[in-house]
Amino acid sequence: MNQNNLIKWDLDLIRRYDLSGPRYTSYPTAIQFDPKLSATDLVRTGQQTADLNTPLSLYVHIPFCAHVCYYCACNKVITRNRKKAQPYLDTVYKEMVQLSEWYSNDRIVEQLHLGGGTPTFISNDQMIELMQKLRENFKLLDDDSGDYSIEIDPREVDHEMLKVLRDIGFNRVSFGVQDLELKVQEAVNRVQPVEEIADVLNESRRLGFRSINIDLIYGLPHQTLGSFTKTLDTIIDLDPDRLSVFNYAHMPDRFRSQSHIKTEDLPSPETKLAILETTISKLIDAGYVYIGMDHFAKPDDELALAQLSGKLHRNFQGYTTHSDCDLVAMGVSSISQIGDVYYQNEHDIALYSAAVETRDNAIKRGVTLTLDDRIRRAVITQLICHFQLHKKDIEDQFEISFAEYFNEELLELEKLTGDGLVVLTNDSIEVTPAGRLLIRRICMAFDAYIPKQSPTKGFSRII
């Protein structure tokens, strides 16, 4: 099937519906997490509602970076002092032991992800020790069949470390590239020659990493349609298995490092839209499948195959094939999803460390899902992953009448049908090619926590 036929670029619709809204890596979203909820109660509910026969997904947050990238909105600690890593890792190991006692139950770890920050900030020996500790506390696979990935700054890795990563069980890598234009790189304090990127990518491929992702960002200072097109052409030649192309949200009041970026250097909204349109078109023409929102993958990639078979899922790590996994996260600011519970650790590294030392957990805030939350989560997940929903699937799963339960939501969707974003039938909801780019807005119709007719605060713009 021609992917270009599945996406329709309608500038008038984009301008009309490009409000702010959630990315729906969870529902309820993190903005609903409550710091007043008891950590003990959250853990107990998680244990009681988790399916102990399903596998696990693990996430470890390594917050350290040797250099600040001005655009970054991640939870990070900027330092060149590598000695700071070990005390933090020791704290993570203490948290890990407790998490294992709560949730492991000999469940197989199908997915593992190291994020940051810069995970490769830590040394080879520390990386080996981290994996050893994970294997001691959780049942990691040893036959290379798991989905074990790590985020990598190409400036912070060499061939030796790549070999170590492969030897200890990682089989997926994600390289942060963002842009290849020198003027753009200088403006965001992230200069990395394409030769350096190509070198570590080719070495990863030689070592047998089975999936290579590249992250790009559009909307950075000094980007033009022409310059980003050149970046895309080069990236396509590098032939990654997946690409994530994110929209830069300029919020210097919230993220101090972004104050180094001059507003007048940012591309206009019109230029950003032109860049996005060209990006989608070029990647599809190059053979990639538009998974949704920011993500593209080759047709034989597991993400594309999962979407084709109706098994794609979405969680705090983005699109994933592991819909049946509870997500056990460790480290500062990390977010777990256990059964009917989401919770997030302390954002500040000192508070995180003190919390683990004094009370055996670092939980700062969380939410326990109601039945209504679970119903709406199932609807939103289905739409954002597959662009269609069969009402009977939800009715059978939750023993409800879809038309009665979502009477008001369906009335709102009828307004979107007039603009050609969705097609409603008695049996299904189908997102049109024009609606796929605005899928977040469509999902917002089922969000019980946000106003229906006004822009939402605290979220990035949809496009």
Side-chain angles (χ1 to χ4, degrees), residues 27-296:
Y27 181 85
T29 63
I31 205 168
Q32 302 301 328
F33 291 10
D34 187 350
K36 297 177 183 177
L37 292 183
S38 159
T40 301
D41 289 345
L42 288 168
V43 171
R44 183 184 299 116
T45 303
Q47 290 175 305
Q48 291 172 347
T49 57
D51 184 348
L52 300 182
N53 296 314
T54 59
L56 286 177
S57 174
L58 302 182
Y59 174 76
V60 184
H61 190 77
I62 308 294
F64 304 104
C65 294
H67 310 278
V68 61
C69 301
Y70 295 155
Y71 56 80
C72 185
C74 298
N75 186 289
K76 57 192 177 295
V77 176
I78 307 301
T79 179
R80 298 191 183 189
N81 182 2
R82 306 279 169 165
K83 293 181 180 179
K84 289 189 175 183
Q86 192 60 51
Y88 174 78
L89 290 172
D90 290 339
T91 304
V92 169
Y93 299 152
K94 289 185 179 180
E95 183 189 19
M96 188 186 299
V97 170
Q98 182 65 80
L99 292 172
S100 174
E101 292 176 0
W102 285 340
Y103 307 125
S104 177
N105 199 50
D106 222 22
R107 298 163 71 182
I108 293 172
V109 176
E110 283 192 352
Q111 184 181 38
L112 166 67
H113 185 70
L114 263 60
T118 307
T120 51
F121 179 93
I122 65 178
S123 69
N124 289 344
D125 287 342
Q126 288 170 328
M127 190 69 74
I128 292 169
E129 180 187 48
L130 172 57
M131 286 297 284
Q132 286 175 336
K133 295 290 186 181
L134 286 167
R135 291 186 182 280
E136 289 171 9
N137 288 281
F138 294 94
K139 191 174 182 179
L140 270 64
L141 294 161
D142 57 9
D143 60 358
D144 207 35
S145 63
D147 185 349
Y148 295 176
S149 60
I150 182 170
E151 297 170 11
I152 290 180
D153 179 341
R155 304 169 301 170
E156 287 283 329
V157 71
D158 55 22
H159 288 200
E160 181 183 358
M161 172 162 273
L162 286 171
K163 185 177 186 306
V164 167
L165 293 173
R166 190 70 186 97
D167 288 344
I168 61 178
F170 288 97
N171 48 35
R172 297 181 180 273
V173 287
S174 179
F175 293 112
V177 173
Q178 324 317 352
D179 194 291
L180 296 176
E181 184 74 19
L182 180 59
K183 187 175 183 180
V184 177
Q185 292 181 349
E186 290 175 340
V188 299
N189 197 41
R190 189 186 179 104
V191 176
Q192 46 185 358
V194 65
E195 294 81 9
E196 185 177 48
I197 297 163
D199 176 65
V200 295
L201 186 147
N202 290 331
E203 180 64 11
S204 298
R205 190 168 282 138
R206 190 191 70 79
L207 288 168
F209 286 91
R210 69 167 177 256
S211 179
I212 297 173
N213 177 78
I214 284 182
D215 288 344
L216 299 175
I217 298 178
Y218 69 96
L220 294 177
H222 303 299
Q223 278 181 343
T224 66
L225 177 58
S227 72
F228 201 75
T229 299
K230 286 175 56 180
T231 287
L232 284 171
D233 288 338
T234 303
I235 295 300
I236 289 169
D237 286 342
L238 291 176
D239 198 32
D241 302 287
R242 299 177 183 177
L243 288 113
S244 302
V245 188
F246 299 107
N247 170 30
Y248 171 64
H250 189 55
M251 296 183 284
D253 291 340
R254 285 186 61 190
F255 306 107
R256 187 173 61 181
S257 63
Q258 293 187 358
S259 62
H260 293 283
I261 294 176
K262 298 178 181 178
T263 303
E264 59 267 27
D265 291 338
L266 297 174
S268 67
E270 293 76 17
T271 299
K272 283 184 70 174
L273 287 175
I275 289 173
L276 178 59
E277 181 181 14
T278 298
T279 297
I280 293 172
S281 178
K282 286 186 73 68
L283 291 178
I284 289 175
D285 286 344
Y288 289 91
V289 174
Y290 177 70
I291 300 298
M293 293 173 58
D294 323 293
H295 288 69
F296 302 81

Side-chain angles (χ1 to χ4, degrees), residues 362-381:
I363 299 172
K364 177 183 177 66
R365 57 181 187 151
V367 64
T368 299
L369 275 66
T370 64
L371 175 60
D372 181 67
D373 290 333
R374 293 192 289 114
I375 294 171
R376 292 175 184 275
R377 178 178 66 179
V379 170
I380 289 171
T381 299

Side-chain angles (χ1 to χ4, degrees), residues 323-336:
S323 60
D324 55 344
C325 290
D326 282 323
L327 172 59
V328 179
M330 57 205 83
V332 62
S333 75
S334 63
I335 303 177
S336 295

